[in-house]
Amino acid sequence: MELNNGSAESASSAPLNYSDDNVVKPLENKPVNFYSLTLEDLKAYLKGKGKEQFRAQQIFKWVYEQRVTDPEQMTNLSKEFRASLPEILSFELPRVITHLKSVDGTQKMLFDMGQGQSVEAVLIPSEGRLTLCISSEVGCNIACKFCFTGKQKLKRRLRTEEIVGQFMQIHDRLGEDQRITNIVFMGMGEPLDNPEAVFKTIEVVHSPWGINLSRKKITVSTSGIVPEMWRVSAAKVRLAVSLNGPNDEIRTQVMPINKRWNTTELLNACKEHYRITKDKITFEYVLLKGITDQIEHARQLVKLVKDVPCKINIIPFNEHPGSGYERPSDQTIEAFHAELMRLGAHVLLRRSMGRDIFAACGQLTSQVPNKPESMDISNSKLAGLPKYKREMLQDSQHQEQ
C-alpha cells in the first residue's frame, strides 16, 4: 500500500489542482463515465474535446439536480452539443442485484460491479435524517476479525463512478418527500485504502453543482491507516475511527492493523484532526462477548481516549456466519453503557438497524454462495427499532400489501 505523507494544512490551504493530464480519459473512441468526474474534471475534459467549459456546470445541474441523463432533454445545450454528448459521456450506473427491506425501515442494496464482483450499501432511517452507508472496496485488506467483509479479502478498489453510483441508484428510488441527509463511508472496505476515489466522490457529493451535501453531513470511517488520516482533515468532513479495543493487546487481537499503527499513533492522529478542524472524533467500539464488553474494559476505554475530544459509539456485535464471536446480553451492554456515562464519557448506544437482513455494522459482504438474507433478531431488544415501532411498521407494510 502506498502512503501519502502530505499534511492536512498544506492540502486544505490550496485548491485541488485538476490539470488536463490528471483527468480520467476515456479509452480510444469510448465515452468516459460522467459519474467519475468532479466539476473541475469535466471542465478540463470538455476543454480537451474542444467544447466550452461552462457546459460542465449545465450538465452537472441537469444530472444531479434534475436527474436528466438524456442529452435531448438538456434543452439549454446547443443542438450540436447534445448530438455529440453520447460520444463524449456515458451515464451508466452499477446495476442493483437485490433490494432488501428490514422491519425497522432499513434498506440494503447489492450492486453488480462486474466480473462477478459486488458490494452492498445501506439506507438507514432515523428521526430527522436518512443516512446512506456506502462501500469503497470489494472486500477489504484490513481483516478485522469480527467483520463479515474482512473475511472475503480485498478483490479490488472501487472507482469513483462506482461509489457515486451507489448514491444515485438509491437516491433515484426515494419518494418525493425523501432526501438523503447524511453519507457515511462505513460500508465494505477501508476508505483510506482507496483515498483517490473516496475523496473525489466527496467533492462530487459536496459540490453545489452536484449533490450539494454539507461536508459536516459526510463521515469517513477508518480502522486507523494513520499516514492517510490527514486527508479527512483536508476534506473538512467528519472523522470516525474503529477503535474496538480498550488497550493495544485487545485491539491487536481483533484488529491486526494495530500491529502497524498502535493506539498511541492513532490517537495522536486524532488529536491532530481535532486541532485542525475542531470537530470531535467519533470512536466506534464493538462489544464482543467476553472480549471487549467487561466493566474494566469500559474504564480502560475512558482512560485511553481521555485526551481526545470525542464521542463513543457503542456497537453490540452483529452476528454473521462463521464469525466465532458472540453478541453480549442486553444486560451486559446496558451495564457497559452505564459505566461509560458514570465516568463522564459522551457516549451513544447505537441500535443495530437492519440486523434482520444482515445490513448492520460488520454484516456487509459481496454475493457469495449460501449467503443468508435474513436472521432472527428476537434475542435482543436493542436490535433496530423498539418492539412497538417494529410492530407498527410491520402492520403498515401488511396493509400496503
Side-chain angles (χ1 to χ4, degrees):
M1 182 190 310
E2 290 186 6
L3 301 174
N4 192 312
N5 294 318
S7 71
E9 289 180 318
S10 63
S12 60
S13 62
L16 294 174
N17 179 22
Y18 295 103
S19 67
D20 289 80
D21 290 338
N22 291 330
V23 174
V24 176
K25 299 295 196 305
L27 298 175
E28 189 70 25
N29 299 321
K30 296 284 186 179
V32 70
N33 191 306
F34 168 81
Y35 299 106
S36 70
L37 305 173
T38 65
L39 181 62
E40 295 304 315
D41 284 345
L42 183 54
K43 286 181 179 178
Y45 177 53
L46 291 178
K47 181 181 179 181
K49 291 288 184 179
K51 308 296 183 182
E52 302 99 327
Q53 292 188 67
F54 73 87
R55 298 296 186 192
Q57 292 176 335
Q58 293 176 321
I59 298 172
F60 255 60
K61 190 175 180 69
W62 279 114
V63 175
Y64 287 116
E65 185 176 317
Q66 304 296 327
R67 287 307 293 135
V68 170
T69 57
D70 179 359
E72 290 306 313
Q73 296 182 36
M74 300 179 184
T75 52
N76 61 347
L77 303 183
S78 69
K79 186 175 181 180
E80 179 184 358
F81 185 61
R82 293 202 303 268
S84 68
L85 205 53
E87 299 175 0
I88 298 174
L89 295 172
S90 71
F91 299 93
E92 183 179 0
L93 293 172
R95 180 177 66 89
V96 176
I97 301 172
T98 60
H99 183 183
L100 301 179
K101 296 183 180 180
S102 166
V103 295
D104 61 31
T106 300
Q107 300 181 53
K108 181 175 76 169
M109 291 188 189
L110 179 70
F111 293 94
D112 181 5
M113 294 302 174
Q115 299 182 325
Q117 299 175 343
S118 55
V119 299
E120 293 183 317
V122 180
L123 188 65
I124 308 163
S126 58
E127 189 172 350
R129 68 172 60 183
L130 195 57
T131 301
L132 177 60
C133 176
I134 54 181
S135 294
S136 57
E137 297 179 316
V138 181
C140 186
N141 255 338
I142 307 304
C144 299
K145 302 300 185 182
F146 51 83
C147 181
F148 205 2
T149 305
K151 289 185 176 300
Q152 70 177 93
K153 307 303 180 184
L154 180 70
K155 301 297 187 294
R156 72 174 176 87
R157 296 168 179 86
L158 295 182
R159 299 185 296 272
T160 302
E161 63 267 29
E162 294 170 324
I163 304 176
V164 175
Q166 295 170 60
F167 179 98
M168 301 312 302
Q169 282 283 33
I170 293 177
H171 171 275
D172 290 348
R173 286 165 169 75
L174 297 179
E176 290 186 4
D177 60 340
Q178 292 180 302
R179 182 177 184 272
I180 295 170
T181 61
N182 298 73
I183 293 179
V184 293
F185 287 84
M186 296 182 184
M188 294 171 58
E190 161 59 60
L192 297 188
D193 188 38
N194 186 16
E196 299 302 331
V198 164
F199 288 96
K200 203 169 182 181
T201 297
I202 288 172
E203 287 303 308
V204 172
V205 167
H206 172 64
S207 171
W209 293 94
I211 295 166
N212 196 22
L213 197 64
S214 167
R215 292 184 188 272
K216 300 303 182 184
K217 301 293 185 181
I218 304 169
T219 300
V220 174
S221 176
T222 181
S223 59
I225 301 182
V226 170
E228 296 292 330
M229 287 172 63
W230 66 272
R231 294 177 183 270
V232 184
S233 307
K236 301 178 182 177
V237 296
R238 304 287 189 185
L239 171 65
V241 173
S242 294
L243 193 56
N244 304 319
N247 54 54
D248 277 319
E249 181 181 359
I250 293 177
R251 189 168 192 264
T252 298
Q253 178 184 343
V254 298
M255 298 183 69
I257 192 173
N258 199 66
K259 295 177 182 177
R260 185 161 185 185
W261 297 290
N262 62 26
T263 57
T264 298
E265 296 171 282
L266 177 59
L267 295 179
N268 283 340
C270 291
K271 293 176 191 176
E272 180 66 5
H273 176 79
Y274 178 78
R275 184 187 71 80
I276 294 168
T277 66
K278 297 300 182 285
D279 285 336
K280 288 185 176 181
I281 287 80
T282 297
F283 286 118
E284 298 154 329
Y285 187 93
V286 173
L287 291 177
L288 302 167
K289 184 177 179 179
I291 298 174
T292 64
D293 64 343
Q294 302 301 297
I295 294 299
E296 180 58 30
H297 296 150
R299 294 168 183 162
Q300 291 175 14
L301 176 60
V302 171
K303 184 177 180 181
L304 180 67
V305 302
K306 64 182 177 63
D307 294 329
V308 182
C310 67
K311 64 178 179 178
I312 302 170
N313 276 0
I314 302 174
I315 308 170
F317 175 65
N318 296 303
E319 305 94 322
H320 53 80
S323 70
Y325 294 103
E326 295 181 49
R327 183 186 183 92
S329 68
D330 284 358
Q331 293 77 12
T332 298
I333 294 168
E334 289 170 336
F336 193 97
H337 182 208
E339 181 66 8
L340 289 181
M341 293 184 68
R342 185 188 72 80
L343 294 171
H346 181 182
V347 58
L348 173 69
L349 174 54
R350 188 192 295 178
R351 290 189 178 275
S352 299
M353 301 290 286
R355 184 167 164 242
D356 59 316
I357 58 170
F358 287 89
C361 179
Q363 290 185 316
L364 303 187
T365 187
S366 296
Q367 191 171 35
V368 294
N370 303 315
K371 178 182 178 180
E373 291 192 347
S374 63
M375 68 178 291
D376 180 10
I377 61 172
S378 60
N379 68 330
S380 175
K381 70 179 181 180
L382 300 175
L385 296 177
K387 182 179 179 182
Y388 80 93
K389 286 192 176 182
R390 293 202 303 269
E391 291 173 345
M392 289 173 57
L393 185 60
Q394 287 173 322
D395 288 342
S396 66
Q397 289 175 338
H398 289 321
Q399 291 172 4
E400 289 175 3
Q401 293 172 353

